[in-house]
Amino acid sequence: MKISDLFTRLSLNELASTAIVDEDTFTIVDKYYPKLMVILNDSLKDLFTRFLLLEKNTIIKTYNWKRTYQLNSKYSYRTNTDPNESYLIDSDTNPFIDDLINIIYVRDKRGIELPINDPLDPFSVYTPRSDVLQLNASCCNQEYYISYRANHPILIWDDTNKDSSLNQDINIPIGLETALRLRIAMFIFSGMSGQESSAKARDLNSLYESECSLVIEQGVVSINENRSNERLDRRGFV
């Protein structure tokens, strides 16, 4: 779905009665595009956090003096040439772009999945923060293969190129398009003054939650990952 398709449906449905839509042309008023783009990105992040819509992989190489590793591009091979600071293995063709929402699982170089946050297991790794991996039993130059829940690519609004901005792709299952519109509309109405707008925002939020529950019941999307024992090279690690 293109951004232009989403905004057309919003202008004809959930946002039709608002000042955001021109009442003569039923199109979005130009000055509201940047605001809608911010809300769109926030709404996509909510959906990609709630559901496992995009899974990615990365690799870290350990130091014997270090136990905590933040998964951030400033520590990647591609952007950091300091051998004492770079530990996240990426490349120009496969960059780490700071789209991590949370770590799903971790495997060692043999492909064995390690327990996460299990204080009773001596081989457990820990995630004290969603983007941090803590290793308590690691040696220097060991590689760990990390699968993580990733966010949707950030969509950018360019005031100088409206057509190009509206032509960007939104990559979600078709079954989540209604939920996305409801969440965007909910934020629009929640930002308006007046009891009627507040009530409308609450109704839209309720509809959004119901829609999210419905897509789970229908098997449209999954909340969590599907475990498998497939080889690391088939998951894109090597």
Side-chain angles (χ1 to χ4, degrees):
M1 176 174 62
K2 300 291 185 182
I3 292 178
S4 58
D5 298 325
L6 172 66
F7 286 175
T8 295
R9 293 170 191 172
L10 281 167
S11 64
L12 293 174
N13 294 281
E14 291 84 4
L15 301 182
S17 63
T18 69
I20 288 176
V21 176
D22 186 292
E23 60 182 12
D24 295 322
T25 63
F26 292 101
T27 58
I28 303 295
V29 177
D30 283 355
K31 69 177 182 178
Y32 291 111
Y33 278 123
K35 178 179 180 179
L36 277 174
M37 192 66 74
V38 172
I39 295 174
L40 170 57
N41 280 313
D42 286 345
S43 298
L44 285 169
K45 184 176 181 180
D46 185 78
L47 287 173
F48 276 68
T49 301
R50 186 182 294 249
F51 305 114
L52 183 58
L53 301 177
L54 180 60
E55 182 180 332
K56 287 188 176 182
N57 310 304
T58 193
I59 307 169
I60 62 169
K61 181 171 283 189
T62 62
Y63 300 110
N64 58 4
W65 51 268
K66 189 175 182 63
R67 290 292 177 266
T68 302
Y69 298 85
Q70 183 182 10
L71 302 184
N72 188 290
S73 62
K74 66 183 178 181
Y75 302 115
S76 76
Y77 281 25
R78 183 176 53 89
T79 62
N80 193 330
T81 58
D82 187 338
N84 294 315
E85 291 188 357
S86 56
Y87 50 77
L88 199 156
I89 301 175
D90 68 348
S91 64
D92 290 336
T93 57
N94 186 29
F96 183 80
I97 58 172
D98 296 318
D99 57 352
L100 180 148
I101 294 176
N102 67 279
I103 295 169
I104 300 174
Y105 54 83
V106 181
R107 287 174 171 157
D108 63 19
K109 64 181 179 180
R110 298 167 296 175
I112 297 175
E113 185 176 340
L114 302 174
I116 296 179
N117 298 326
D118 184 354
L120 299 179
D121 194 314
F123 296 103
S124 177
V125 299
Y126 295 86
T127 54
R129 214 171 69 182
S130 62
D131 62 342
V132 171
L133 184 67
Q134 179 181 319
L135 305 170
N136 292 335
S138 174
C139 298
C140 186
N141 292 323
Q142 284 190 348
E143 291 183 354
Y144 288 85
Y145 302 83
I146 301 165
S147 290
Y148 65 91
R149 186 190 307 255
N151 190 22
H152 189 283
I154 299 299
L155 300 168
I156 305 298
W157 180 258
D158 182 358
D159 280 325
T160 65
N161 198 333
K162 175 181 174 180
D163 290 342
S164 177
S165 298
L166 291 174
N167 197 46
Q168 294 176 90
D169 288 314
I170 301 172
N171 297 310
I172 60 172
I174 190 172
L176 283 176
E177 291 179 3
T178 298
L180 179 60
R181 295 202 318 271
L182 289 169
R183 193 178 193 279
I184 292 171
M186 182 268 291
F187 267 90
I188 293 295
F189 279 95
S190 65
M192 297 178 180
S193 59
Q195 292 184 351
E196 185 176 344
S197 296
S198 297
K200 180 67 172 178
R202 289 193 296 270
D203 290 343
L204 286 166
N205 186 58
S206 179
L207 288 171
Y208 172 67
E209 294 295 338
S210 296
E211 186 69 20
C212 288
S213 297
L214 180 61
V215 297
I216 295 173
E217 292 174 8
Q218 294 177 336
V220 174
V221 292
S222 173
I223 298 177
N224 299 309
E225 73 280 2
N226 293 318
R227 283 287 192 259
S228 69
N229 293 317
E230 59 187 328
R231 288 169 49 84
L232 291 177
D233 56 349
R234 295 184 61 184
R235 299 195 62 84
F237 282 121
V238 294

